[in-house]
Amino acid sequence: MAKVDTSLVAHLPLFGGVKPEDLEEILREARSVRYPKNSAIFEQGADAQSFFLLLHGHVRAAKTTPSGEQIVVRYVSPGETFGLAMAIGAARYPATAIAVDDSVALIWPTSAWPRLVERFPSLAANTLQTVGTRLQESHTRILEMSTQQVEQRVAHALLRLAKQSGKKLDHGIEIDFPISRQDIAQMTGTTLHTVSRILSGWEQQGLVESGRQRIILRDPHGIVVLAERSPDSGAA
Amino acid sequence: MAKVDTSLVAHLPLFGGVKPEDLEEILREARSVRYPKNSAIFEQGADAQSFFLLLHGHVRAAKTTPSGEQIVVRYVSPGETFGLAMAIGAARYPATAIAVDDSVALIWPTSAWPRLVERFPSLAANTLQTVGTRLQESHTRILEMSTQQVEQRVAHALLRLAKQSGKKLDHGIEIDFPISRQDIAQMTGTTLHTVSRILSGWEQQGLVESGRQRIILRDPHGIVVLAERSPDSGAA
DNA sequence: GCTCGTTTTTGAGCTATCGCAAACACCCTG
DNA sequence: CAGGGTGTTTGCGATAGCTCAAAAACGAGC
């Protein structure tokens, strides 16, 4: 098994407060796995046998209702952990993870977690921190869904994606992985039709440039304005 | 300062894996504070000086938008922690906490957290667990808001409240603290008007009995049926 | 028992957004 | 370069739920 270079991951929040030699020990328990674009990494409801640290690529975590409707829980960027079912004491994954790009992740057996935490308490503290942050973001999302209209929510979603995974271009910011209107709909609690209409509108106004699974924010500031517009302060 | 009886809190998840003598040490750092009904425990945006463990009563955690709209993040029941800003590395409270009943909480200075975690690593692990569970619940809530209609969401919300804080009566389950239509609206992402209409309807059908800040589920099973009804399987 | 403030109820019209349907554009493959 | 599949656009109703408005019920304090 290829050895993982500690220098690549030492700076990640997960490993804050972990000594270099300890880090090596931790990494010895992991293996590195490649997931081709559009492949499933794990399925909602499956046995949580592993947990993950994304090295390259992007992963979409989605939750499905009994009747088949989906929402996107989040997009995972390199350096982030996912599939932490064990940390919350769940035996099964609460969501499905799909690689949206060719991706590489470090993967540990779930069974290693208790031992690791015991030996390296910072791991628990660090994970608590990131899970806490996600909880906050989650609450913010609920707040938005409760108080804002669809257009504002889409604006916020795009701005977040741009901040998280934006590639700076001369003429704007491009979201760095394939993402469809459907995906955005599932992030904002609306339908792909509505998202499509909104993006069409924005394209007219020169705010964005978009195509098949591709979005470029041409005027990020303009979108910020939209995002913060109060419900009624409508334009002409 | 009154000493806290360890036997009252020893069984709580937060203290799982903590030895009795250690528990005493932990409790020595806390004090017990009483909050009268409707008083604020902390305000969103304020310096996170303390974290809390609710002993008696009920607390509503709510988040407010810049423009003043509110959502209810959750209701805290006895035995649960709240105000854990420090665990997620936040210097300020992300929400406001209000005692909805006369309440009593143990309160620790935020500054004690790092020391406690260092001495008693189970605290971090346990807290990770509860925060993780809350994250899951939060995702479930987002899923509901995205895929269900208001009536179903209200049904789910009431069922959760009943499970969490329901007092069993002969003729149903009563929610054990004062809660208004407005509160329920803020839990489900709708308006108090809509909630009022829905509850009126249910009352007609004998599903609930309700009054000023008071709700009794007369037919919990009937409400479960409503909660699970698919979008279109409408009644006559 | 009366008054005041809060909560709840109910009506009526409005609209943002959905749902359905059809046409279209694009990309990949053979 | 033609064919097929997936993603996107757009039109046109339908409607769940919102907003505004007003009245009624309730509870607490004097």
Side-chain angles (χ1 to χ4, degrees):
Chain A
M1 176 183 330
K3 206 165 148 194
V4 177
D5 186 347
T6 61
S7 73
L8 290 175
V9 296
H11 69 284
L12 297 178
L14 174 61
F15 299 124
V18 173
K19 283 174 293 188
E21 63 268 32
D22 290 344
L23 180 52
E24 247 181 83
E25 179 179 342
I26 295 172
L27 291 180
R28 251 198 304 279
E29 309 224 19
R31 63 206 175 87
S32 165
V33 181
R34 192 179 158 282
Y35 298 94
K37 179 169 172 172
N38 291 326
S39 62
I41 300 176
F42 54 79
E43 299 272 359
Q44 175 171 344
D47 242 52
Q49 284 162 341
S50 316
F51 63 96
F52 303 79
L53 172 61
L54 188 62
L55 295 179
H56 297 299
H58 289 277
V59 170
R60 180 181 61 232
K63 215 167 152 64
T64 308
T65 62
S67 55
E69 293 145 305
Q70 276 201 345
I71 62 157
V72 171
V73 172
R74 68 182 180 118
Y75 279 93
V76 183
S77 291
E80 297 184 327
T81 51
F82 66 102
L84 301 179
M86 78 296 152
I88 76 167
R92 311 178 163 278
Y93 294 113
T96 295
I98 307 273
V100 297
D101 253 350
D102 287 344
S103 299
V104 179
L106 286 183
I107 126 175
W108 284 262
T110 292
S111 56
W113 177 253
R115 186 165 15 100
L116 288 174
V117 163
E118 176 133 1
R119 278 180 61 75
F120 313 109
S122 345
L123 286 182
N126 295 339
T127 303
L128 174 55
Q129 190 110 340
T130 73
V131 172
T133 304
R134 287 184 205 160
L135 180 58
Q136 279 240 91
E137 290 165 353
S138 192
H139 288 158
T140 300
R141 187 165 162 189
I142 291 172
L143 188 64
E144 283 179 8
M145 290 189 60
S146 299
T147 61
Q148 306 184 336
Q149 346 217 123
V150 173
E151 186 172 30
Q152 295 169 70
R153 303 206 301 264
V154 172
H156 278 291
L158 289 192
L159 290 171
R160 257 181 238 121
L161 287 172
K163 181 175 283 181
Q164 203 202 339
S165 310
K167 186 164 58 177
K168 285 195 184 64
L169 308 178
D170 305 351
H171 45 290
I173 306 176
E174 173 165 17
I175 291 169
D176 207 16
F177 52 84
I179 184 166
S180 69
R181 321 280 139 146
Q182 177 72 270
D183 294 325
I184 294 172
Q186 292 177 343
M187 298 179 70
T188 52
T190 181
T191 64
L192 84 160
H193 304 275
T194 299
V195 171
S196 179
R197 283 179 236 273
I198 287 172
L199 289 185
S200 294
W202 290 357
E203 190 132 23
Q204 303 271 317
Q205 302 166 53
L207 289 168
V208 304
E209 176 187 334
S210 74
R212 204 187 174 79
Q213 308 206 101
R214 197 178 53 83
I215 300 178
I216 298 170
L217 309 192
R218 277 208 167 290
D219 177 5
H221 181 68
I223 297 181
V224 170
V225 171
L226 272 186
E228 287 170 357
R229 174 133 95 222
S230 79
D232 57 295
S233 65
Chain B
M1 172 184 331
K3 205 165 149 195
V4 177
D5 185 349
T6 60
S7 73
L8 289 175
V9 297
H11 69 283
L12 296 178
L14 175 60
F15 298 124
V18 173
K19 283 174 292 188
E21 63 268 32
D22 290 345
L23 180 52
E24 249 183 78
E25 179 178 343
I26 295 173
L27 292 181
R28 254 198 301 281
E29 309 223 21
R31 62 205 176 89
S32 165
V33 181
R34 194 181 155 283
Y35 297 94
K37 181 170 172 173
N38 291 326
S39 62
I41 300 176
F42 54 78
E43 299 271 359
Q44 175 171 343
D47 241 52
Q49 283 162 343
S50 316
F51 62 97
F52 304 80
L53 172 61
L54 188 61
L55 295 181
H56 297 299
H58 288 277
V59 169
R60 180 181 62 232
K63 215 167 153 62
T64 308
T65 62
S67 55
E69 294 145 304
Q70 275 201 345
I71 62 157
V72 171
V73 172
R74 67 183 181 117
Y75 279 92
V76 182
S77 291
E80 297 184 324
T81 50
F82 65 103
L84 302 178
M86 78 295 151
I88 77 165
R92 309 177 165 279
Y93 294 114
T96 295
I98 307 274
V100 296
D101 254 349
D102 286 344
S103 300
V104 179
L106 286 182
I107 127 174
W108 285 263
T110 292
S111 56
W113 177 254
R115 185 167 13 101
L116 288 174
V117 163
E118 175 133 0
R119 278 181 59 76
F120 312 109
S122 345
L123 287 182
N126 296 339
T127 304
L128 174 56
Q129 190 110 338
T130 73
V131 172
T133 303
R134 287 184 205 160
L135 180 58
Q136 278 238 91
E137 290 166 353
S138 194
H139 287 158
T140 300
R141 187 165 164 189
I142 291 172
L143 188 64
E144 283 179 8
M145 291 188 61
S146 299
T147 62
Q148 306 184 334
Q149 349 217 120
V150 172
E151 186 173 30
Q152 296 170 67
R153 303 205 301 264
V154 172
H156 278 292
L158 289 192
L159 289 171
R160 257 180 238 121
L161 288 172
K163 181 175 284 182
Q164 202 201 339
S165 309
K167 185 165 59 177
K168 285 195 183 63
L169 307 179
D170 305 348
H171 44 290
I173 305 176
E174 174 165 18
I175 290 168
D176 206 17
F177 53 84
I179 184 166
S180 69
R181 321 279 139 147
Q182 177 73 274
D183 294 325
I184 294 171
Q186 290 176 344
M187 298 179 70
T188 52
T190 181
T191 65
L192 81 161
H193 304 275
T194 297
V195 172
S196 179
R197 284 179 234 273
I198 287 171
L199 289 186
S200 294
W202 291 356
E203 190 132 24
Q204 302 271 320
Q205 302 167 52
L207 289 168
V208 303
E209 175 187 335
S210 75
R212 205 185 173 79
Q213 309 208 99
R214 197 177 55 82
I215 299 177
I216 298 171
L217 309 193
R218 275 206 168 288
D219 177 4
H221 180 67
I223 298 182
V224 170
V225 171
L226 272 186
E228 288 171 356
R229 178 134 91 221
S230 80
D232 57 297
S233 64

Coordinates of all heavy atoms in Angstrom, one line a residue, chain A residues 15-83:
Chain A
F15 N -5.9 17.3 12.2 CA -4.7 16.9 12.9 C -4.1 18.0 13.7 O -2.9 17.8 14.1 CB -3.7 16.4 11.8 CG -4.2 15.2 11.1 CD1 -4.3 15.2 9.7 CD2 -4.7 14.1 11.7 CE1 -4.8 14.1 9.0 CE2 -5.2 13.0 11.0 CZ -5.3 13.0 9.7
G16 N -4.8 19.1 14.0 CA -4.2 20.1 14.8 C -3.9 19.5 16.2 O -4.6 18.8 16.8
G17 N -2.7 19.9 16.7 CA -2.3 19.4 18.0 C -1.8 17.9 18.0 O -1.5 17.4 19.1
V18 N -1.6 17.4 16.8 CA -1.1 16.0 16.7 C 0.4 16.1 16.3 O 0.8 16.8 15.4 CB -1.8 15.2 15.7 CG1 -1.2 13.8 15.5 CG2 -3.3 15.0 16.1
K19 N 1.2 15.4 17.1 CA 2.7 15.4 16.8 C 3.0 14.7 15.5 O 2.3 13.7 15.2 CB 3.5 14.8 18.0 CG 3.6 15.8 19.2 CD 4.2 15.1 20.4 CE 3.4 14.0 20.9 NZ 3.9 13.5 22.2
P20 N 4.0 15.1 14.8 CA 4.3 14.5 13.5 C 4.5 13.0 13.6 O 4.0 12.3 12.7 CB 5.7 15.2 13.1 CG 5.6 16.5 13.8 CD 4.9 16.3 15.1
E21 N 5.2 12.5 14.6 CA 5.4 11.0 14.7 C 4.0 10.3 15.0 O 3.8 9.2 14.5 CB 6.4 10.7 15.7 CG 6.0 11.1 17.2 CD 6.6 12.4 17.6 OE1 6.7 13.3 16.6 OE2 6.9 12.7 18.7
D22 N 3.1 11.0 15.7 CA 1.8 10.4 15.9 C 1.0 10.4 14.6 O 0.3 9.5 14.3 CB 1.1 11.3 17.0 CG 1.6 11.1 18.4 OD1 2.4 10.2 18.6 OD2 1.3 12.0 19.2
L23 N 1.2 11.5 13.9 CA 0.5 11.6 12.6 C 0.8 10.4 11.8 O -0.1 9.8 11.1 CB 0.8 12.9 11.9 CG 0.2 13.2 10.6 CD1 -1.4 13.0 10.7 CD2 0.5 14.5 10.1
E24 N 2.1 10.1 11.7 CA 2.5 8.9 10.9 C 1.8 7.7 11.4 O 1.3 6.9 10.6 CB 4.0 8.7 11.0 CG 4.7 9.0 9.7 CD 6.2 8.7 9.8 OE1 6.6 7.6 9.7 OE2 6.9 9.7 10.0
E25 N 1.7 7.5 12.7 CA 1.0 6.3 13.2 C -0.5 6.3 12.8 O -1.0 5.3 12.4 CB 1.1 6.3 14.7 CG 0.4 5.1 15.3 CD 0.5 5.1 16.8 OE1 1.4 5.7 17.4 OE2 -0.3 4.4 17.4
I26 N -1.1 7.5 12.8 CA -2.5 7.6 12.4 C -2.6 7.2 10.9 O -3.5 6.4 10.6 CB -3.0 9.0 12.7 CG1 -3.0 9.3 14.2 CG2 -4.4 9.1 12.1 CD1 -3.4 10.7 14.5
L27 N -1.7 7.7 10.2 CA -1.8 7.5 8.7 C -1.6 6.0 8.4 O -2.0 5.5 7.3 CB -0.9 8.4 8.0 CG -1.3 9.9 8.0 CD1 -0.3 10.7 7.2 CD2 -2.7 10.1 7.5
R28 N -0.8 5.4 9.2 CA -0.5 4.0 8.9 C -1.8 3.1 8.9 O -1.8 2.1 8.3 CB 0.5 3.4 9.9 CG 1.9 3.2 9.4 CD 2.7 2.3 10.3 NE 2.8 2.7 11.6 CZ 3.7 3.7 12.1 NH1 4.5 4.2 11.2 NH2 3.7 4.0 13.3
E29 N -2.8 3.6 9.6 CA -4.0 2.8 9.6 C -4.9 3.1 8.5 O -5.9 2.4 8.3 CB -4.7 3.1 10.9 CG -3.9 3.0 12.2 CD -4.6 2.3 13.3 OE1 -5.5 1.6 13.0 OE2 -4.1 2.4 14.4
A30 N -4.6 4.1 7.7 CA -5.4 4.4 6.6 C -4.9 3.9 5.3 O -3.7 3.6 5.1 CB -5.5 6.0 6.5
R31 N -5.8 3.8 4.3 CA -5.3 3.5 3.0 C -6.0 4.5 2.1 O -7.0 5.2 2.4 CB -5.7 2.1 2.5 CG -7.1 1.8 2.4 CD -7.4 0.3 2.6 NE -8.8 0.1 2.6 CZ -9.5 -0.1 1.5 NH1 -9.0 -0.2 0.3 NH2 -10.8 -0.3 1.6
S32 N -5.4 4.7 0.9 CA -5.8 5.7 0.0 C -6.6 5.1 -1.1 O -6.1 4.1 -1.7 CB -4.5 6.5 -0.5 OG -4.8 7.2 -1.6
V33 N -7.7 5.6 -1.4 CA -8.6 5.0 -2.4 C -9.0 6.0 -3.5 O -9.3 7.1 -3.2 CB -9.8 4.3 -1.8 CG1 -10.7 3.7 -2.8 CG2 -9.5 3.3 -0.7
R34 N -9.1 5.5 -4.7 CA -9.5 6.4 -5.8 C -10.9 6.1 -6.2 O -11.3 4.9 -6.3 CB -8.5 6.1 -7.0 CG -8.7 7.2 -8.1 CD -7.7 6.9 -9.2 NE -8.3 7.5 -10.4 CZ -9.3 7.1 -11.1 NH1 -9.8 5.9 -10.8 NH2 -9.7 7.8 -12.2
Y35 N -11.7 7.1 -6.3 CA -13.1 7.0 -6.8 C -13.3 7.7 -8.1 O -13.1 8.9 -8.1 CB -14.1 7.5 -5.7 CG -13.9 6.8 -4.4 CD1 -13.1 7.3 -3.4 CD2 -14.6 5.6 -4.2 CE1 -13.0 6.6 -2.2 CE2 -14.5 4.9 -3.0 CZ -13.7 5.4 -2.0 OH -13.6 4.7 -0.8
P36 N -13.7 7.0 -9.1 CA -13.9 7.6 -10.4 C -15.1 8.5 -10.3 O -16.0 8.3 -9.5 CB -14.1 6.5 -11.4 CG -14.3 5.3 -10.6 CD -13.9 5.5 -9.2
K37 N -15.2 9.5 -11.2 CA -16.3 10.4 -11.3 C -17.6 9.7 -11.3 O -17.7 8.7 -12.1 CB -16.1 11.2 -12.6 CG -17.2 12.2 -12.9 CD -16.8 13.2 -14.0 CE -18.0 14.1 -14.4 NZ -17.5 15.1 -15.4
N38 N -18.6 10.2 -10.6 CA -19.9 9.6 -10.5 C -20.0 8.2 -9.8 O -21.1 7.6 -9.9 CB -20.5 9.5 -11.9 CG -20.8 10.9 -12.5 OD1 -21.2 11.8 -11.8 ND2 -20.6 11.0 -13.8
S39 N -19.0 7.8 -9.2 CA -19.1 6.5 -8.5 C -19.6 6.8 -7.0 O -19.3 7.9 -6.4 CB -17.8 5.8 -8.4 OG -16.8 6.6 -7.8
A40 N -20.3 5.8 -6.5 CA -20.8 5.9 -5.1 C -19.7 5.5 -4.1 O -19.0 4.5 -4.3 CB -22.0 5.0 -4.9
I41 N -19.5 6.3 -3.1 CA -18.4 6.0 -2.1 C -19.1 5.2 -1.0 O -18.5 4.2 -0.5 CB -17.8 7.3 -1.6 CG1 -17.1 8.0 -2.7 CG2 -16.8 7.0 -0.5 CD1 -16.5 9.3 -2.4
F42 N -20.2 5.6 -0.6 CA -21.1 4.8 0.3 C -22.5 5.2 0.1 O -22.8 6.3 -0.3 CB -20.6 4.8 1.8 CG -20.6 6.2 2.4 CD1 -21.7 6.9 2.8 CD2 -19.4 6.8 2.5 CE1 -21.7 8.1 3.3 CE2 -19.3 8.1 3.1 CZ -20.5 8.7 3.5
E43 N -23.4 4.3 0.5 CA -24.8 4.5 0.3 C -25.5 4.7 1.7 O -25.2 4.1 2.7 CB -25.5 3.3 -0.3 CG -24.9 2.9 -1.7 CD -25.7 3.6 -2.8 OE1 -26.6 4.4 -2.5 OE2 -25.3 3.4 -4.0
Q44 N -26.5 5.6 1.7 CA -27.3 5.8 2.8 C -27.8 4.5 3.4 O -28.4 3.7 2.6 CB -28.4 6.8 2.5 CG -29.4 7.0 3.6 CD -30.4 8.1 3.2 OE1 -30.2 8.9 2.3 NE2 -31.5 8.2 3.9
G45 N -27.7 4.3 4.7 CA -28.3 3.1 5.2 C -27.3 1.9 5.3 O -27.5 0.9 6.0
A46 N -26.2 2.0 4.5 CA -25.2 0.9 4.6 C -24.4 1.0 5.9 O -24.3 2.0 6.5 CB -24.3 1.0 3.4
D47 N -23.9 -0.2 6.2 CA -23.0 -0.3 7.3 C -21.8 0.7 7.3 O -21.1 0.7 6.3 CB -22.4 -1.7 7.3 CG -22.8 -2.5 8.5 OD1 -24.0 -2.5 8.8 OD2 -21.9 -3.0 9.2
A48 N -21.7 1.4 8.3 CA -20.6 2.4 8.3 C -19.3 1.8 8.6 O -18.8 1.8 9.7 CB -20.9 3.5 9.3
Q49 N -18.6 1.2 7.6 CA -17.4 0.5 7.8 C -16.2 1.3 7.8 O -15.1 0.9 8.3 CB -17.3 -0.6 6.8 CG -18.2 -1.8 7.1 CD -18.4 -2.7 5.9 OE1 -18.1 -2.3 4.8 NE2 -18.8 -3.9 6.2
S50 N -16.3 2.5 7.2 CA -15.1 3.4 7.1 C -15.5 4.8 7.3 O -16.6 5.2 7.2 CB -14.5 3.2 5.7 OG -14.4 1.9 5.3
F51 N -14.4 5.6 7.7 CA -14.6 7.0 7.6 C -13.5 7.6 6.7 O -12.5 7.0 6.5 CB -14.7 7.7 9.0 CG -13.4 7.6 9.8 CD1 -12.5 8.6 9.8 CD2 -13.3 6.4 10.6 CE1 -11.4 8.4 10.6 CE2 -12.1 6.3 11.4 CZ -11.2 7.3 11.4
F52 N -13.7 8.8 6.2 CA -12.9 9.3 5.1 C -12.4 10.7 5.3 O -12.9 11.5 6.0 CB -13.9 9.4 3.9 CG -14.6 8.1 3.5 CD1 -15.7 7.7 4.3 CD2 -14.1 7.3 2.5 CE1 -16.3 6.5 4.0 CE2 -14.7 6.1 2.2 CZ -15.8 5.7 2.9
L53 N -11.3 10.9 4.6 CA -10.7 12.3 4.5 C -10.4 12.5 3.0 O -9.6 11.8 2.4 CB -9.4 12.3 5.3 CG -8.5 13.6 5.2 CD1 -9.3 14.8 5.6 CD2 -7.2 13.5 6.0
L54 N -11.1 13.5 2.5 CA -10.9 13.7 1.0 C -9.6 14.4 0.7 O -9.2 15.4 1.3 CB -12.1 14.5 0.5 CG -12.2 14.7 -1.0 CD1 -12.4 13.4 -1.7 CD2 -13.3 15.7 -1.3
L55 N -8.9 13.8 -0.2 CA -7.6 14.4 -0.6 C -7.7 15.2 -1.9 O -7.2 16.3 -2.0 CB -6.5 13.3 -0.8 CG -6.1 12.5 0.5 CD1 -5.1 11.5 0.2 CD2 -5.6 13.5 1.5
H56 N -8.4 14.6 -2.9 CA -8.6 15.3 -4.2 C -10.0 15.1 -4.7 O -10.6 14.0 -4.4 CB -7.6 14.7 -5.3 CG -6.2 14.8 -5.0 ND1 -5.6 16.1 -4.8 CD2 -5.2 13.9 -4.8 CE1 -4.3 15.9 -4.6 NE2 -4.1 14.6 -4.5
G57 N -10.5 16.0 -5.4 CA -11.8 15.8 -6.0 C -12.9 16.5 -5.2 O -12.6 17.4 -4.4
H58 N -14.1 16.1 -5.5 CA -15.2 16.6 -4.8 C -16.3 15.6 -4.6 O -16.5 14.7 -5.5 CB -15.9 17.8 -5.5 CG -15.0 19.0 -5.5 ND1 -15.0 19.9 -4.5 CD2 -14.1 19.5 -6.4 CE1 -14.1 20.9 -4.7 NE2 -13.5 20.6 -5.9
V59 N -16.9 15.6 -3.4 CA -17.9 14.6 -3.1 C -19.2 15.2 -2.7 O -19.2 16.2 -2.0 CB -17.4 13.7 -1.9 CG1 -18.5 12.8 -1.4 CG2 -16.2 12.9 -2.4
R60 N -20.3 14.7 -3.2 CA -21.6 15.2 -2.8 C -22.2 14.2 -1.8 O -22.3 13.0 -2.1 CB -22.5 15.3 -4.1 CG -23.9 15.8 -3.8 CD -24.8 15.8 -5.0 NE -25.0 14.5 -5.6 CZ -24.8 14.2 -6.9 NH1 -24.4 15.2 -7.7 NH2 -25.0 13.0 -7.3
A61 N -22.7 14.8 -0.7 CA -23.4 14.0 0.3 C -24.8 14.3 0.2 O -25.2 15.5 0.2 CB -22.9 14.3 1.7
A62 N -25.7 13.3 0.0 CA -27.1 13.6 -0.3 C -27.9 12.6 0.6 O -27.5 11.5 0.9 CB -27.4 13.3 -1.7
K63 N -29.1 13.1 1.0 CA -30.0 12.3 1.9 C -31.3 12.1 1.1 O -31.8 13.0 0.4 CB -30.3 13.2 3.1 CG -30.4 12.4 4.4 CD -30.4 13.3 5.6 CE -31.2 12.8 6.7 NZ -30.7 11.5 7.3
T64 N -31.8 10.9 1.2 CA -32.9 10.5 0.4 C -34.1 10.2 1.3 O -33.9 9.6 2.3 CB -32.6 9.3 -0.5 OG1 -31.4 9.6 -1.2 CG2 -33.8 9.0 -1.4
T65 N -35.3 10.6 0.9 CA -36.5 10.3 1.7 C -36.9 8.9 1.3 O -36.6 8.4 0.2 CB -37.7 11.2 1.4 OG1 -38.0 11.1 0.0 CG2 -37.3 12.6 1.7
P66 N -37.7 8.2 2.1 CA -38.3 6.9 1.8 C -39.0 7.0 0.4 O -38.9 6.0 -0.3 CB -39.4 6.7 2.9 CG -38.9 7.5 4.0 CD -38.1 8.7 3.5
S67 N -39.5 8.1 0.0 CA -40.2 8.1 -1.2 C -39.3 8.6 -2.4 O -39.8 8.8 -3.5 CB -41.5 9.0 -1.1 OG -41.1 10.3 -0.7
G68 N -38.0 8.7 -2.1 CA -37.1 8.9 -3.2 C -36.7 10.3 -3.5 O -35.8 10.5 -4.3
E69 N -37.2 11.3 -2.8 CA -36.7 12.6 -3.0 C -35.4 12.8 -2.3 O -35.1 12.3 -1.3 CB -37.8 13.6 -2.5 CG -39.1 13.6 -3.3 CD -40.3 13.9 -2.4 OE1 -40.4 13.1 -1.4 OE2 -41.0 14.8 -2.7
Q70 N -34.6 13.7 -2.9 CA -33.2 13.9 -2.4 C -33.0 15.3 -2.0 O -33.5 16.2 -2.6 CB -32.2 13.5 -3.5 CG -31.9 12.0 -3.5 CD -30.5 11.8 -4.2 OE1 -30.0 12.7 -4.8 NE2 -30.0 10.6 -4.0
I71 N -32.1 15.5 -1.1 CA -31.5 16.8 -0.9 C -30.0 16.6 -0.8 O -29.5 15.6 -0.5 CB -32.0 17.5 0.4 CG1 -31.5 16.7 1.6 CG2 -33.4 17.8 0.4 CD1 -31.4 17.5 2.9
V72 N -29.3 17.7 -1.2 CA -27.9 17.7 -1.1 C -27.5 18.2 0.3 O -27.9 19.3 0.7 CB -27.2 18.6 -2.1 CG1 -25.7 18.7 -1.9 CG2 -27.4 18.0 -3.5
V73 N -26.9 17.4 1.1 CA -26.5 17.8 2.4 C -25.3 18.8 2.4 O -25.3 19.9 3.0 CB -26.1 16.6 3.3 CG1 -25.5 17.0 4.6 CG2 -27.3 15.7 3.5
R74 N -24.3 18.4 1.6 CA -23.2 19.3 1.4 C -22.3 18.8 0.3 O -22.4 17.6 -0.1 CB -22.4 19.5 2.7 CG -21.6 18.3 3.1 CD -20.9 18.5 4.4 NE -20.2 17.4 4.9 CZ -18.9 17.3 5.0 NH1 -18.1 18.3 4.8 NH2 -18.3 16.2 5.4
Y75 N -21.4 19.7 -0.2 CA -20.3 19.2 -1.0 C -19.0 19.2 -0.2 O -18.7 20.1 0.5 CB -20.1 20.2 -2.2 CG -21.1 19.9 -3.3 CD1 -22.4 20.5 -3.4 CD2 -20.9 18.9 -4.3 CE1 -23.3 20.2 -4.4 CE2 -21.8 18.6 -5.3 CZ -23.0 19.3 -5.3 OH -23.9 19.0 -6.3
V76 N -18.3 18.1 -0.3 CA -17.1 18.0 0.4 C -15.9 18.4 -0.4 O -15.8 18.0 -1.6 CB -16.9 16.5 0.9 CG1 -15.6 16.3 1.7 CG2 -18.1 16.0 1.6
S77 N -15.0 19.2 0.1 CA -13.8 19.7 -0.6 C -12.6 19.0 0.0 O -12.6 18.4 1.1 CB -13.7 21.2 -0.4 OG -14.7 21.9 -1.1
P78 N -11.5 19.0 -0.8 CA -10.3 18.4 -0.3 C -9.9 18.9 1.1 O -10.0 20.1 1.3 CB -9.3 18.7 -1.4 CG -10.1 18.9 -2.6 CD -11.4 19.5 -2.1
G79 N -9.4 18.0 1.9 CA -9.0 18.4 3.3 C -10.1 18.2 4.3 O -9.9 18.2 5.5
E80 N -11.4 17.9 3.8 CA -12.5 17.7 4.8 C -12.7 16.2 5.0 O -12.5 15.4 4.1 CB -13.7 18.4 4.2 CG -13.6 19.9 4.1 CD -14.9 20.5 3.7 OE1 -15.7 19.9 2.9 OE2 -15.2 21.6 4.1
T81 N -13.2 16.0 6.2 CA -13.6 14.6 6.5 C -15.1 14.4 6.1 O -15.9 15.3 6.0 CB -13.5 14.4 8.0 OG1 -14.2 15.4 8.7 CG2 -12.0 14.3 8.4
F82 N -15.4 13.1 5.9 CA -16.9 12.8 5.7 C -17.1 11.3 6.1 O -16.1 10.6 6.3 CB -17.3 13.1 4.3 CG -16.6 12.3 3.2 CD1 -17.3 11.3 2.6 CD2 -15.3 12.6 2.8 CE1 -16.7 10.5 1.6 CE2 -14.7 11.9 1.8 CZ -15.4 10.8 1.2
G83 N -18.3 11.0 6.1 CA -18.7 9.6 6.5 C -18.4 9.3 8.0 O -18.0 8.2 8.3

